[in-house]
Amino acid sequence: MSVPTTLLINYMKNIPYAVTEDDVRTYLKGEFNTAMKLKKEKLTSSKITDFVDNIFTRYKGEQLSTEKAIYQLNSKILDIIFVGENSPTECKACKKGKCKRPSCPVKKGLMSKKEIMKDNTNKLWPNILNEAAKSEDIVKFAENKMEENLQQYLRNNPVFGLLSSLRG
């Protein structure tokens, strides 16, 4: 999740004094918190919780196979917990034909970041479905996964790229 540059520029135009890095950090943190709040509200909405409860009940009642439960959970929850740009996946070693990583996403045919996340969650859902005592456990897992993805996104993407270019 990134803060649009226009918001940062508007912020800088509205402030009549020199903007420090701490000011920008505070502003970006506010934008981050707003975006997280919206995603959490969507994830914990009655529509999603009712949907998850229905899937969980049908799965525990053996009316729904693991594969179908995973597919349905991904269809509703993956878009909410995915954070970042859905950019194409690249492996420079694969392009050269020298990739030795057995877990390389490109070798698996995963062509975007979202497909990689879907593959990872497909491996985690069966355990969550089996270990969960109630449907709220599944929603809590999704919320934790969303926060984990956001933290990873922020770690891997420079938050202050615009500031770096302004410093000169």
Side-chain angles (χ1 to χ4, degrees), residues 135-146:
S135 62
E136 290 84 15
D137 295 341
I138 296 171
V139 174
K140 187 67 179 166
F141 165 76
E143 188 176 320
N144 291 340
K145 198 68 179 158
M146 178 179 62

Side-chain angles (χ1 to χ4, degrees), residues 56-100:
F56 182 72
T57 304
R58 289 174 41 211
Y59 177 77
K60 287 295 185 178
E62 298 183 8
Q63 298 171 352
L64 194 63
S65 70
T66 304
E67 293 78 23
K68 287 185 180 181
I70 291 170
Y71 175 79
Q72 290 184 7
L73 286 170
N74 277 340
S75 71
K76 291 284 185 182
I77 294 179
L78 192 66
D79 285 336
I80 299 170
I81 65 174
F82 179 75
V83 178
E85 295 101 27
N86 191 18
S87 57
T89 335
E90 291 182 358
C91 176
K92 293 178 183 175
C94 279
K95 284 183 181 179
K96 295 177 183 176
K98 298 179 181 180
C99 186
K100 294 180 178 150

Side-chain angles (χ1 to χ4, degrees), residues 89-163:
T89 335
E90 291 182 358
C91 176
K92 293 178 183 175
C94 279
K95 284 183 181 179
K96 295 177 183 176
K98 298 179 181 180
C99 186
K100 294 180 178 150
R101 289 183 11 206
S103 63
C104 178
V106 174
K107 278 185 181 177
K108 290 181 178 179
L110 305 173
M111 302 312 283
S112 69
K113 304 280 186 193
K114 196 171 188 178
E115 287 178 4
I116 293 171
M117 183 171 176
K118 185 177 181 179
D119 184 57
N120 290 337
T121 55
N122 283 346
K123 294 172 188 168
L124 297 173
W125 283 128
N127 290 338
I128 300 304
L129 285 167
N130 291 326
E131 294 172 5
K134 51 190 176 197
S135 62
E136 290 84 15
D137 295 341
I138 296 171
V139 174
K140 187 67 179 166
F141 165 76
E143 188 176 320
N144 291 340
K145 198 68 179 158
M146 178 179 62
E147 288 181 23
E148 180 184 306
N149 291 335
L150 185 58
Q151 289 172 355
Q152 181 181 1
Y153 178 76
L154 291 176
R155 256 194 324 267
N156 294 336
N157 295 296
V159 176
F160 298 104
L162 179 63
L163 274 181

